[in-house]
């Protein structure tokens, strides 16, 4: 593991819990559902929420079993030791800021104009999408993570600590202690982590960059029918991407206009 991240693991704020027992999820779609499954498999409790109401999550809760329950976004925000914000970026300003005050919030969101509409500040090349989320959640500590891998490889590529085929994921944030807590969560869920800097640097893992989705995904065979391609996508294991490769890819990134890449199956 990167020496900086080893140092980060020892950084905690006074009185702050060092172990995540409950993961709150605001958004329970493809990425959120994948994280919930990994968390339950790791022995964590999860509190799921979405914009449509707890009753719409009955099927996923039943699948996950006794470690899962459905709630409102405000309830999930308050219940989580860590909270994942995994909604379409266009809805970031509807995240419950008051309920998330004082929390470490993991931002998985990416900017896809074909889904989110145009966001002028991002198109102008100013703040990153995560910086906008942090501005909205002024009393929270935002860490960007889980945004650079598609939802199936997120689940299929998780490996125990020390496994030879373990992958790493990039993360970014402005608060060292918050990043340390997310590094620990990544480890519990089956991934190493590579610190790529502050939220201003988080563009290095956004759509269109070298680390985004493709390194974790095997090359699709040619000539597949639509049905065969769908089956291949769901059944094909991921390609291991170790920490040194993630660092190489993120270091090589060049910032381009935000939203240049189209939405993919890694979407929130």
């Amino acid at each position: 593991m990167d020496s900086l991240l080893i140092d980060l693991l020892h950084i905690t704020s006074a009185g702050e819990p060092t172990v995540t027992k409950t993961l709150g999820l605001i958004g329970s779609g493809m990425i959120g559902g994948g994280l919930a499954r990994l968390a339950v498999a790791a022995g964590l409790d999860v509190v799921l929420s979405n914009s449509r109401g707890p009753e719409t999550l009955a099927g996923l809760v039943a699948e996950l079993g006794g470690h899962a329950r459905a709630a409102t976004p405000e309830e999930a925000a308050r219940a989580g030791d860590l909270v994942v914000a995994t909604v379409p970026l266009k809805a970031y300003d509807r995240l419950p800021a008051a309920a998330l005050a004082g929390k470490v919030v993991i931002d998985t969101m990416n900017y896809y104009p074909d889904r989110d509409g145009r966001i002028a500040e991002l198109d102008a090349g100013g703040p990153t999408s995560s910086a906008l989320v942090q501005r909205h959640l002024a009393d929270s500590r935002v860490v960007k993570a889980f945004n650079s891998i598609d939802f199936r490889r997120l689940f299929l590529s998780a490996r125990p600590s020390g496994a030879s085929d373990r992958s790493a994921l990039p993360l970014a944030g402005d608060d060292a202690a918050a990043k340390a807590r997310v590094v620990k969560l990544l480890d519990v869920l089956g991934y190493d982590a590579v610190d790529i800097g502050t939220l201003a640097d988080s563009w290095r893992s956004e759509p269109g960059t070298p680390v985004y989705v493709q390194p974790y995904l095997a090359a699709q065979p040619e000539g597949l029918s639509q049905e065969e391609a769908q089956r291949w996508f769901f059944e094909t294991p991921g390609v291991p991407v170790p920490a040194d490769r993630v660092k190489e890819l993120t270091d090589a990134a060049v910032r381009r206009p935000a939203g240049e890449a189209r939405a993919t199956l890694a979407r929130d």
Side-chain angles (χ1 to χ4, degrees), residues 204-221:
R204 292 183 177 276
S205 66
E206 289 179 348
T209 61
V211 81
Y212 180 74
V213 176
Q214 290 302 321
Y216 301 93
L217 188 63
Q220 181 177 313

Side-chain angles (χ1 to χ4, degrees), residues 1 5-6 11 82 89 144 171 218 263:
M1 185 180 293
L5 293 184
I6 293 173
I11 301 173
L82 291 176
L89 184 65
K144 185 80 162 191
L171 85 167

Side-chain angles (χ1 to χ4, degrees), residues 60-221:
L60 181 56
V61 168
E63 175 195 334
L64 293 172
H67 282 285
R69 66 181 176 92
T72 66
E74 289 79 6
E75 290 167 340
R78 293 190 174 97
D81 299 319
L82 291 176
V83 181
V84 180
T86 181
V87 299
L89 184 65
K90 63 184 176 183
Y92 83 89
D93 57 356
R94 296 198 290 275
L95 293 169
L100 289 167
K103 299 281 185 173
V104 175
V105 178
I106 302 170
D107 167 23
T108 78
M109 296 176 279
N110 287 314
Y111 177 38
Y112 303 119
D114 59 341
R115 177 199 62 189
D116 299 315
R118 287 289 174 182
I119 300 175
E121 284 186 274
L122 299 182
D123 290 340
T128 62
S129 63
S130 288
L132 296 185
V133 176
Q134 179 66 84
R135 187 173 68 190
H136 173 63
L137 301 178
D139 295 321
S140 305
R141 291 174 292 161
V142 173
V143 177
K144 185 80 162 191
F146 301 113
N147 68 301
S148 61
I149 188 170
D150 77 85
F151 73 99
R152 280 300 289 167
R153 259 39 60 183
L154 174 64
F155 185 73
L156 294 174
S157 296
R159 296 291 187 274
S161 182
S164 61
D165 59 345
R166 200 182 210 212
S167 288
L169 296 172
L171 85 167
D174 295 340
D175 184 279
K179 285 196 282 190
R181 293 190 63 194
V182 178
V183 169
K184 289 183 179 180
L185 178 68
L186 275 158
D187 183 52
V188 167
L189 298 186
Y191 289 91
D192 292 333
V194 175
D195 187 350
I196 63 172
T198 67
L199 295 179
D201 302 309
S202 62
W203 62 267
R204 292 183 177 276
S205 66
E206 289 179 348
T209 61
V211 81
Y212 180 74
V213 176
Q214 290 302 321
Y216 301 93
L217 188 63
Q220 181 177 313

